[in-house]
């Protein structure tokens, strides 16, 4: 299918068919797509939590403005970002580059030192803002991959991150929740499923400069 047809097919699913399950192969594709998301300097300060547990999903509905998608979806993805980010994280990244690419230290060290210095000057809030922005890139990537793979989804900011952090024990894992993405199958009676897409005309959203 042409990519634009896939993107037309995708919509923010309001009602999922709670009886249908995605396969482990489909979930594997999404995990890999998440991992392949571009991140600033390649540092990957984001993490994906994949929930396939009806009890947990039900318990999160009240902290998601009662949006049922969270419970009815086959799986609930929670895109998180790192709370504390230290020099050790930068060191770990460069060790991985060295291992994967066998890049010599003399090539890596100046860049590593630059990053250690740059990050040491950032406040916690600045880092969180940057990491959260990267969570949105992962969300966009996952939305598009879902569309191509014919997996229904609903991007969501409508939840209480602090409650998710508490219920999913994210703080202990040095994480904060940024975005959620229920995924699965659209319900036959989802009122949104056959509605036309509402978009401004292209000449109102794109500026061509030649
Ligand atoms: C960052 C973000 C947050 C959103 N939060 C919610 C949400 O909490 N609940 C919901 O039902 N839809 C949510 N949406 C879906 C939008 O309402 C939807 O994408 C938009 O109306 C365009 O419709 P379409 O995606 O079906 O083309 C969100 C979308 C984005 C990108």
């Amino acid at each position: 299918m042409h990519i634009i047809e896939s993107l037309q097919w995708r919509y923010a699913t309001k009602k999922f068919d709670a009886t249908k399950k995605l396969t482990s192969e489909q979930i594997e594709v999404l995990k890999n797509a998440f991992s392949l998301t571009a991140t600033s300097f390649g540092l990957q300060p984001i993490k994906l939590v994949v929930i396939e547990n009806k009890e947990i999903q039900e318990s999160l509905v009240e902290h998601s403005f009662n949006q049922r998608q969270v419970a009815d979806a086959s799986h609930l993805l929670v895109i998180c970002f790192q709370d504390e980010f230290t020099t050790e994280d930068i060191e770990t990244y460069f060790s991985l580059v060295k291992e994967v690419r066998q890049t010599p230290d003399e090539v890596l060290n100046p860049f590593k030192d630059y990053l250690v210095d740059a990050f040491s000057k950032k406040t916690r809030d600045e880092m969180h803002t940057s990491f959260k922005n990267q969570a949105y890139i992962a969300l966009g990537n996952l939305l598009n991959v879902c569309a191509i793979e014919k997996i229904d989804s609903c991007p969501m900011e409508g939840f209480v991150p602090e409650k998710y952090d508490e219920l999913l024990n994210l703080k202990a894992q040095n994480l904060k929740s940024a975005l959620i993405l229920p995924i699965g199958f659209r319900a036959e009676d989802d009122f949104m499923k056959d509605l036309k897409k509402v978009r401004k005309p292209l000449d109102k959203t794109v500026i061509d400069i030649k």
Side-chain angles (χ1 to χ4, degrees):
M1 198 194 273
H2 190 276
I3 182 69
I4 297 301
E5 281 175 57
S6 296
L7 295 178
Q8 287 282 0
W9 176 85
R10 184 207 65 77
Y11 74 107
T13 304
K14 296 293 165 200
K15 188 174 179 191
F16 284 89
D17 182 337
T19 66
K20 292 189 180 162
K21 276 269 154 221
L22 293 165
T23 63
S24 50
E25 288 77 18
Q26 286 171 306
I27 298 299
E28 241 5 76
V29 169
L30 296 181
K31 287 178 181 175
N32 277 293
F34 176 81
S35 169
L36 289 167
T37 297
T39 57
S40 181
F41 300 111
L43 290 171
Q44 294 183 271
I46 52 174
K47 218 168 215 181
L48 186 67
V49 177
V50 182
I51 305 174
E52 184 190 3
N53 179 308
K54 284 290 169 205
E55 206 178 309
I56 296 174
Q57 287 170 247
E58 282 292 347
S59 73
L60 292 169
V61 172
E62 65 172 302
H63 306 300
S64 316
F65 302 97
N66 291 320
Q67 301 189 84
R68 285 290 315 164
Q69 296 105 307
V70 165
D72 294 338
S74 165
H75 293 64
L76 178 65
L77 307 184
V78 183
I79 306 174
C80 305
F81 62 91
Q82 241 177 279
D83 185 6
E84 299 284 343
F85 190 87
T86 64
T87 300
E88 206 185 317
D89 292 298
I90 299 173
E91 300 275 0
T92 305
Y93 168 71
F94 280 93
S95 299
L96 187 60
V97 176
K98 197 174 166 184
E99 185 190 318
V100 174
R101 294 184 175 157
Q102 279 85 48
T103 314
D105 281 338
E106 53 273 27
V107 175
L108 292 178
N109 282 346
F111 184 36
K112 181 169 82 178
D113 294 344
Y114 161 76
L115 280 187
V116 168
D117 182 55
F119 273 80
S120 72
K121 289 178 181 141
K122 285 184 198 287
T123 65
R124 192 187 173 86
D125 278 355
E126 282 169 345
M127 277 198 234
H128 283 183
T129 302
S130 160
F131 296 168
K132 220 182 214 183
N133 289 341
Q134 294 173 63
Y136 279 84
I137 295 173
L139 177 74
N141 189 24
L142 287 171
L143 282 173
N144 291 342
V145 173
C146 280
I148 293 163
E149 295 292 315
K150 278 264 160 32
I151 295 169
D152 282 304
S153 66
C154 183
M156 288 168 80
E157 277 176 327
F159 71 105
V160 184
E162 295 75 19
K163 282 287 173 191
Y164 268 62
D165 295 357
E166 190 186 315
L167 285 167
L168 301 174
N169 198 28
L170 296 179
K171 195 175 168 47
Q173 298 171 75
N174 190 29
L175 294 172
K176 280 180 170 292
S177 53
L179 291 159
I180 56 173
L181 184 68
I183 52 170
F185 299 85
R186 61 189 69 178
E188 270 307 312
D189 60 344
D190 183 356
F191 75 99
M192 290 293 273
K193 117 175 150 22
D194 299 315
L195 295 184
K196 280 190 167 173
K197 278 230 177 279
V198 179
R199 291 296 191 270
K200 294 177 186 176
L202 279 191
D203 64 358
K204 294 275 186 288
T205 56
V206 179
I207 299 170
D208 286 313
I209 298 178
K210 289 183 178 162

